[in-house]
Amino acid sequence: MIEFRDVTKVYGSNDTHALENVNIKIEDGEFVFIVGSSGAGKSTFLKLIMHEEKPTSGEVIVNGYASTKMKKRQVPYYRRTMGIVFQDFRIIPKMSVYDNVAFAMRVIGTKEKEIRKRVPYILQLVGLSQKARSMPNELSGGEQQRVSLARALVNNPDLIIADEPTGNVDPEMSHEIVELLTKINNSGTTVVMVTHEHDLVRTFQRRVIVIQKGKVVSDTPDPTFAKFK
Ligand code: ADP
Ligand code: ADP
């Protein structure tokens, strides 16, 4: 579960109130769209979940880890419980598709035997089995984003954080990316996705949190989520 308890974030360098008194709970297994105009505080919201930034006041608790209590050395372990997808993919240009995904497992010390089983399974899940040996510069934008999604998924995270994952792909592929995230969510993974695309939000009908000028101005529950049925 993700919980924001009266969270305010002020960036010291310019005294910007990026978030103000945010109170939000996201249950395990939810799929949440975070929307709002540029500068509203969406990335800050995600950074607080990732513990990339600390709240100025209040507390963020994610899967039992509280921002007020976490030690610096715990952060890398904490991050491993989540998969992160960025708008600009951030895949490694000099590694094949297979190795980009395998790398995420290698850095946490997974045995090669397990990697050889897991990576093909995940590549199949995202529809990239035929591209395992391709290099990133041989892929379309949508394919690169699916590599990044595969990498986020391969270690079986409890939570996927996606920061405008469809920002650099065409509308059809955007739809496919969100379908994939839905599939992952159906197997129990919580998904928190920032987006600008109203079409996606309308089409997929999940929980929608609207942030404006650092405040949560609306929060519409997911009509399909069990707890709200
Ligand atoms: P969004 O993701 O919705 O575009 P952000 O969370 O990136 O919004 O930004 C919210 C506000 O905080 C903006 O006014 C932005 O300029 C400011 N901000 C974001 N990051 C920093 C930072 N590292 N230092 C200073 N101000 C920042
Ligand atoms: P889309 O517009 O659907 O994102 P593209 O038209 O860019 O996709 O690419 C279509 C197909 O061509 C993809 O399967 C991709 O792997 C392949 N492709 C694109 N660019 C290159 C390239 N520079 N070298 C090899 N294959 C490429």
Side-chain angles (χ1 to χ4, degrees):
M1 190 183 59
I2 300 171
E3 191 173 359
F4 278 60
R5 289 190 187 157
D6 213 21
V7 171
T8 293
K9 175 67 187 176
V10 181
Y11 287 106
S13 53
N14 52 7
D15 203 35
T16 302
H17 288 240
L19 289 178
E20 266 183 276
N21 304 105
V22 171
N23 286 288
I24 275 286
K25 264 189 200 178
I26 297 173
E27 304 287 342
D28 290 344
E30 280 200 80
F31 189 124
V32 185
F33 287 120
I34 309 289
V35 304
S37 50
S38 179
K42 303 180 300 296
S43 299
T44 300
F45 185 83
L46 295 187
K47 283 179 182 162
L48 288 165
I49 294 175
M50 296 184 268
H51 286 271
E52 205 177 302
E53 292 285 353
K54 281 185 171 231
T56 307
S57 63
E59 189 172 33
V60 178
I61 305 164
V62 182
N63 295 333
Y65 285 89
S67 58
T68 46
K69 298 196 181 93
M70 201 182 317
K71 306 258 190 308
K72 230 183 179 156
R73 64 181 160 77
Q74 289 180 304
V75 173
Y77 297 96
Y78 167 76
R79 292 259 175 81
R80 286 176 192 176
T81 65
M82 51 187 73
I84 304 171
V85 183
F86 301 95
Q87 179 173 5
D88 58 359
F89 320 138
R90 302 197 194 178
I91 52 182
I92 303 166
K94 287 191 168 142
M95 283 187 190
S96 68
V97 166
Y98 180 95
D99 282 327
N100 261 283
V101 180
F103 183 68
M105 300 185 83
R106 291 182 179 130
V107 293
I108 63 166
T110 312
K111 296 206 166 60
E112 280 300 319
K113 191 176 163 204
E114 197 179 328
I115 294 175
R116 281 197 296 271
K117 271 197 292 193
R118 178 83 176 155
V119 175
Y121 167 75
I122 294 291
L123 289 180
Q124 189 204 349
L125 185 75
V126 302
L128 285 180
S129 297
Q130 305 308 315
K131 302 276 176 179
R133 289 170 189 283
S134 299
M135 298 303 284
N137 66 1
E138 299 168 336
L139 303 176
S140 71
E143 287 166 337
Q144 290 186 55
Q145 190 55 300
R146 282 182 280 150
V147 175
S148 135
L149 198 52
R151 183 186 53 190
L153 286 175
V154 75
N155 293 322
N156 207 12
D158 305 320
L159 171 65
I160 296 275
I161 302 282
D163 195 355
E164 296 201 39
T166 63
N168 281 323
V169 304
D170 60 39
E172 205 173 311
M173 189 48 68
S174 293
H175 198 275
E176 254 181 69
I177 299 276
V178 183
E179 294 242 292
L180 265 171
L181 287 169
T182 301
K183 207 156 106 184
I184 292 151
N185 173 252
N186 286 341
S187 65
T189 307
T190 310
V191 176
V192 179
M193 169 175 162
V194 163
T195 185
H196 266 115
E197 293 177 67
H198 292 281
D199 277 355
L200 288 177
V201 175
R202 263 197 301 272
T203 307
F204 285 88
Q205 301 243 340
R206 312 306 295 260
R207 180 174 175 187
V208 185
I209 295 174
V210 184
I211 302 182
Q212 255 173 35
K213 295 186 180 157
K215 296 201 166 106
V216 172
V217 295
S218 109
D219 183 357
T220 314
D222 181 340
T224 68
F225 191 66
K227 208 188 152 188
F228 304 114
K229 266 185 190 167

